[in-house]
Amino acid sequence: MKLQRHGALAALAISATLAMAACGSDNTGSGGGSKSTAKAPSTECAKGSLTSQGSTAQKNAMDQWIKAYQTKCSGAQITYDGTGSGAGIQAFTSGTADFAGSDSALADGAEQKAADKRCTGGEALDLPMVTGPIAVVYHVQGVQDLQFKPATLAKIFAGKVKTWDDPAIKADNPKATLPSTPIQAVHRSESSGTSDNFTTYLSKTAGADWTYGHAKEWKAPGGVGAKGSDGVSAKVKQTAGTIAYDEWSYATTNSLDIAKIYNGAGQYTELTAEAAGKTVEGAKVVGQGDNLKLDIDYNTKVAGAYPIVLVTYEIACSKGNDSGKLDLLKSFLTYVSSDDGQAALTQQGYAPLPKPVQTKVQGAIKGLA
């Protein structure tokens, strides 16, 4: 199913509020300290406690949601720890997290089966909740407005392009004055859905220049690892000569230089909400039933589309949830998938769900047992 989305409206909303994200959020993540304007949940409150962890990409959004929900629903205690997508899935599978956040859907096969075992009488569902682009960020003294083709990025992150004045980078940036500074490519040090999405992008667009497949764990040689989206942002901000992949909200909050990316339409495209929205519009639902896995076309040929986009999923049991926590789980997820909850994302530099997917997610949440 192709997503028929009011992408332009969402894009305008994000663009209008991006300055707020750049000044930070009211959470304790990398955001900083501006005041929240998120609407209180319009859903019915529930009492109890929930423990969750996973994707750092959605941590700013999750902190905002939790604060808004708990402000209205004083009998609820919800925690979310940004440990990374891989750790979140492991915690969910082992039963130490009531739900998990992951920037990649559960992989077919062993990972899905292991998560399903947690769900007595049911299955582990991938519920898309947060959409947002991955920025390619860099810190090169005296250089701005860089742009890259996928093959060039692949060579850089594979350690084959070692200095900023390499001919491959010059070919992409003929007007730039590039220094001979060594390149330090920064990747996530822990199991990360952002790494999985970024390496999937390289696998599908860079051809023979990327031979490391895609995975939550970084496979290519060289470079340096940093933990979490905030760790990657800090490393790039503090270290000249660096380049990394990072969630747009973190890149914006930390005022990092963001590269234009060459898309399937043959254009170097600036990362904007509208450009990212054009790629999300082309995503397809490939999961079955209430398992709403999405397939993103990283080779999109839509004019003006920014091609590196991720979707963060909340992973929960269709059946077999803790009966003492089920009401709160459904109430909280109903809020975050609501119009109010999704509208709060624009304050953090994310994008609301496409309306058809939002409707499907809300239906799946109602059926949790």
Side-chain angles (χ1 to χ4, degrees):
M1 178 190 90
K2 256 210 174 161
L3 307 184
Q4 299 301 316
R5 170 180 191 234
H6 300 305
L9 293 177
L12 288 172
I14 298 170
S15 298
T17 55
L18 192 52
M20 296 173 62
C23 294
S25 66
D26 63 341
N27 58 62
T28 57
S30 67
S34 68
K35 208 174 213 182
S36 168
T37 57
K39 293 182 181 179
S42 57
T43 51
E44 184 176 346
C45 288
K47 297 180 179 181
S49 63
L50 291 174
T51 299
S52 55
Q53 62 174 285
S55 161
T56 63
Q58 72 164 7
K59 188 176 187 322
N60 289 341
M62 191 60 70
D63 287 350
Q64 186 83 8
W65 282 330
I66 290 172
K67 181 174 181 178
Y69 187 89
Q70 289 182 163
T71 296
K72 180 179 180 182
C73 304
S74 58
Q77 291 294 322
I78 304 167
T79 62
Y80 182 83
D81 191 3
T83 55
S85 298
I89 290 172
Q90 290 177 3
F92 174 80
T93 299
S94 66
T96 59
D98 298 307
F99 70 92
S102 176
D103 300 330
S104 297
L106 291 166
D108 294 336
E111 190 172 65
Q112 180 73 55
K113 289 179 181 178
D116 288 346
K117 288 182 180 179
R118 154 79 188 275
C119 304
T120 305
E123 64 174 328
L125 298 179
D126 299 287
L127 303 174
M129 206 68 73
V130 180
T131 62
I134 299 174
V136 174
V137 296
Y138 59 92
H139 180 174
V140 186
Q141 297 263 358
V143 178
Q144 292 181 315
D145 302 321
L146 290 182
Q147 55 192 25
F148 299 102
K149 289 184 176 179
T152 308
L153 288 176
K155 292 171 185 175
I156 291 171
F157 282 92
K160 297 174 182 177
V161 168
K162 300 180 183 297
T163 62
W164 282 102
D165 61 351
D166 187 277
I169 300 178
K170 286 184 176 180
D172 287 353
N173 299 274
K175 296 181 180 180
T177 301
L178 297 165
S180 59
T181 307
I183 295 173
Q184 188 174 89
V186 183
H187 57 263
R188 291 282 288 274
S189 60
E190 81 281 21
S191 179
S192 161
T194 308
S195 293
D196 193 18
N197 278 272
F198 183 66
T199 54
T200 298
Y201 161 75
L202 293 178
S203 298
K204 292 183 177 295
T205 60
D209 290 301
W210 185 257
T211 60
Y212 302 99
H214 69 91
K216 294 183 178 71
E217 295 75 25
W218 187 257
K219 302 294 186 183
V224 60
K227 185 173 176 57
S229 303
D230 49 354
V232 169
S233 299
K235 183 68 174 177
V236 174
K237 191 175 184 70
Q238 297 165 6
T239 312
T242 48
I243 186 171
Y245 54 94
D246 203 8
E247 289 78 30
W248 190 27
S249 62
Y250 285 85
T252 304
T253 296
N254 288 279
S255 301
L256 301 178
D257 287 324
I258 299 174
K260 293 180 180 179
I261 302 299
Y262 196 79
N263 63 18
Q267 303 168 315
Y268 289 106
T269 307
E270 181 182 357
L271 173 46
T272 66
E274 183 178 6
K278 289 181 179 181
T279 298
V280 176
E281 287 173 6
K284 296 179 181 179
V285 177
V286 295
Q288 300 298 314
D290 287 336
N291 201 346
L292 301 175
K293 297 180 182 181
L294 301 178
D295 182 30
I296 296 170
D297 181 9
Y298 295 106
N299 276 303
T300 177
K301 292 180 172 55
V302 176
Y306 181 86
I308 320 177
V309 177
L310 65 76
V311 175
T312 296
Y313 300 85
E314 311 312 327
I315 297 172
C317 290
S318 62
K319 295 181 181 178
N321 292 289
D322 185 331
S323 59
K325 298 186 176 186
L326 179 60
D327 287 346
L328 180 56
L329 177 66
K330 293 176 71 171
S331 176
F332 179 65
L333 292 182
T334 295
Y335 161 60
V336 302
S337 64
S338 70
D339 289 344
D340 287 350
Q342 290 294 301
L345 292 177
T346 64
Q347 301 166 24
Q348 304 294 332
Y350 304 101
L353 287 173
K355 203 68 176 178
V357 173
Q358 180 187 10
T359 300
K360 285 180 174 289
V361 168
Q362 290 170 331
I365 293 168
K366 287 181 182 178
L368 299 182

